[in-house]
Amino acid sequence: MTALGLVLITSFSGLTQSNEYQQFDRTQMFSANASFTPGYLFRQNTFQYYLQGTFYYFLSPQISIQGDAAFSFRQTNIQGFVPLKYHSGFLGACYHFTENGNLDPYLGFQAGFSYLERTYSTNIVFPSTTTLAEVIPTSSILGGLNFYVNRYFNIFVNMRYVYGQPSKSIQEPDGLHEIRFAFGLGFNLAKWQKN
Amino acid sequence: MSTKIFLFSTLFCASLHFSGARAQRNADEPINNAGMFSLGIRNTLSLFNSHEAASFGAGGHFRIQLSDRVNTEWFADFIKSSTQDLGRTDYHIGWSVMYYVLNPAKTKIVQPYIEAGHCFDYTQLRITSNNLSKDRWSSAMQMGIGVHFNISPRFDITLKSQYMLHLGGHLHAHKDSIGVFEISEHEGFKAEGHLLNTISLNYKIGRIWKR
């Protein structure tokens, strides 16, 4: 926590030192972050937790390519067809509403694949479990806000809807609907634009 | 719900188009380039399947443009669906030829096109209650319409609908006389199709050759 505070203080001091520069150039900027991401599965009425890594690269000031990888922490509750593992990867693009400035709201769309593992009870009289594992297609619609502290750091918050379609369902005839929320500190490499 | 996400995606794309996104593009820069190589990712919603469940899939493709009017798309994806009784997975790998119906020099932002092509299809059908499954290879041909929304000279969002007609043997699940599901494989030609609605994001990497 102290380290995070030092990083933020350093970052804000960097912002004040950049008076000779109006803002940085987002084109070709590369950024990456990692976060602890909780998700809520609607049908299963349960929370899922992920370690998520994200990168994005600006093709132009308002268009970026974004990729995400989320590693799910194993669930211990096997009731109600809750996923034990739900690792996912996404690739897509985002539209950024501002061309420059420190605040960067955006919307995006991504396609991807997930590894889904679910366990369910198969017999009530003689309790036993069966595990179903499969790779499923997924899709994600995301929106968020970046605050670029300086050319090296940003603070981000985002929310995404994730849809996954399994084919090995016993109790769930439909797909997996989930909302994921992430926030944290990101790292970026950008050019400054001189006044 | 998969229909909802597809509609939402469509609205999102439309909002991008009608917002200031188009302003980023340099009007003097040509979009259509013979020899242009593009990479893309896609999500697909399949409707009117033989087992009466909408399917959802993901995949990728690359494009090689042959001329200002003609483009080709080489794709691979897999599509899944499930009902209370059955689970189905379709793997597609194939190609399509796209023809831009309007003059590319005058339609740089919105590019409608028609397309037709062929693919190979591998299908797995599974009964959920007893985990029995069958699979088969077949061939298919597809044709449809689509439109590119060129957000920038190198980046586009594409929406398309195409009807895919499977040729050859097919798998069919039905209940027997005591109400238990079984899967049968029917040989010989039978036309079996579905409507594929695809949204894709594409980026032009560069030219393989110059005109």
Side-chain angles (χ1 to χ4, degrees):
Chain A
M1 210 51 197
T2 307
L4 179 63
L6 284 173
V7 166
L8 288 175
I9 290 167
T10 308
S11 303
F12 279 106
S13 67
L15 184 66
T16 58
Q17 289 167 10
S18 62
N19 291 335
E20 63 178 299
Y21 301 97
Q22 191 167 27
Q23 61 238 335
F24 54 84
D25 183 4
R26 285 187 199 161
T27 307
Q28 298 183 335
M29 185 179 82
F30 177 84
S31 186
N33 63 62
S35 60
F36 175 73
T37 303
Y40 178 72
L41 284 157
F42 289 98
R43 280 179 165 272
Q44 288 75 17
N45 191 24
T46 187
F47 285 92
Q48 198 85 7
Y49 300 97
Y50 305 89
L51 181 61
Q52 178 170 293
T54 299
F55 78 88
Y56 52 90
Y57 178 76
F58 279 85
L59 304 172
S60 71
Q62 289 186 279
I63 303 292
S64 69
I65 290 178
Q66 179 167 331
D68 296 271
F71 177 86
S72 73
F73 294 101
R74 187 180 176 87
Q75 289 274 14
T76 53
N77 175 20
I78 62 167
Q79 301 301 315
F81 222 48
V82 172
L84 291 179
K85 294 177 184 174
Y86 191 20
H87 310 314
S88 49
F90 300 97
L91 184 63
C94 293
Y95 176 72
H96 300 258
F97 292 95
T98 57
E99 290 191 27
N100 47 44
N102 296 89
L103 281 177
D104 174 25
Y106 62 90
L107 278 177
F109 177 80
Q110 294 174 305
F113 303 98
S114 296
Y115 174 78
L116 176 66
E117 196 174 294
R118 294 185 287 184
T119 299
Y120 63 97
S121 301
T122 53
N123 195 314
I124 296 171
V125 181
F126 302 103
S128 61
T129 59
T130 298
T131 300
L132 294 175
E134 61 180 322
V135 176
I136 66 170
T138 49
S139 181
S140 173
I141 296 170
L142 68 153
L145 178 69
N146 296 323
F147 176 73
Y148 298 107
V149 179
N150 62 21
R151 65 189 296 188
Y152 297 116
F153 297 104
N154 68 74
I155 298 168
F156 69 92
V157 57
N158 66 55
M159 187 172 282
R160 68 174 65 220
Y161 168 75
V162 178
Y163 176 77
Q165 175 63 64
S167 65
K168 294 180 178 177
S169 293
I170 294 289
Q171 298 160 0
E172 293 294 331
D174 205 353
L176 294 163
H177 306 279
E178 185 180 16
I179 290 285
R180 296 183 188 176
F181 175 77
F183 71 95
L185 183 69
F187 303 89
N188 40 265
L189 292 172
K191 295 181 290 186
W192 288 115
Q193 277 181 334
K194 288 187 177 179
N195 279 329
Chain B
M1 194 61 190
S2 55
T3 307
K4 288 180 183 175
I5 189 173
F6 191 81
L7 288 174
F8 189 88
S9 306
T10 306
L11 289 173
F12 171 57
C13 295
S15 67
L16 281 185
H17 172 65
F18 291 111
S19 70
R22 69 171 77 182
Q24 289 181 40
R25 194 161 55 76
N26 181 355
D28 296 330
E29 192 168 348
I31 283 179
N32 297 286
N33 292 302
M36 184 61 76
F37 177 80
S38 309
L39 278 176
I41 54 102
R42 55 163 60 190
N43 274 129
T44 298
L45 177 67
S46 176
L47 302 173
F48 309 115
N49 303 308
S50 58
H51 57 293
E52 298 179 350
S55 309
F56 182 77
H61 57 249
F62 63 87
R63 291 175 181 158
I64 299 175
Q65 187 154 354
L66 303 180
S67 73
D68 280 354
R69 290 264 190 172
V70 180
N71 206 341
T72 61
E73 188 171 87
W74 307 77
F75 62 90
D77 61 18
F78 81 122
I79 298 174
K80 293 204 168 202
S81 68
S82 66
T83 64
Q84 198 70 28
D85 304 304
L86 299 170
R88 178 179 174 125
T89 305
D90 284 286
Y91 298 85
H92 297 134
I93 181 167
W95 56 275
S96 293
V97 176
M98 305 140 74
Y99 180 79
Y100 298 111
V101 294
L102 300 178
N103 183 355
K106 296 179 180 176
T107 56
K108 292 182 178 178
I109 297 173
V110 179
Q111 279 186 295
Y113 65 86
I114 57 174
E115 73 171 349
H118 169 265
C119 81
F120 295 101
D121 173 61
Y122 177 71
T123 299
Q124 286 179 316
L125 195 59
R126 177 179 165 276
I127 299 170
T128 51
S129 58
N130 55 21
N131 212 21
L132 291 177
S133 65
K134 277 196 173 183
D135 54 74
R136 66 106 168 88
W137 279 95
S138 75
S139 184
M141 58 183 191
Q142 72 274 357
M143 59 189 306
I145 57 172
V147 59
H148 300 324
F149 294 97
N150 293 302
I151 305 299
S152 78
R154 285 182 176 268
F155 177 71
D156 72 81
I157 298 173
T158 299
L159 299 175
K160 67 178 177 180
S161 290
Q162 54 183 344
Y163 194 76
M164 180 173 277
L165 194 65
H166 291 277
L167 309 171
H170 67 284
L171 299 175
H172 178 66
H174 57 272
K175 285 183 179 176
D176 62 14
S177 56
I178 57 172
V180 177
F181 264 97
E182 61 181 21
I183 301 171
S184 56
E185 188 169 0
H186 299 273
E187 298 296 336
F189 177 83
K190 183 180 178 184
E192 179 193 31
H194 49 138
L195 183 69
L196 298 171
N197 302 285
T198 301
I199 178 173
S200 65
L201 307 180
N202 305 277
Y203 185 71
K204 294 178 178 65
I205 304 293
R207 284 187 182 185
I208 299 175
W209 70 86
K210 294 184 178 179
R211 61 170 99 203

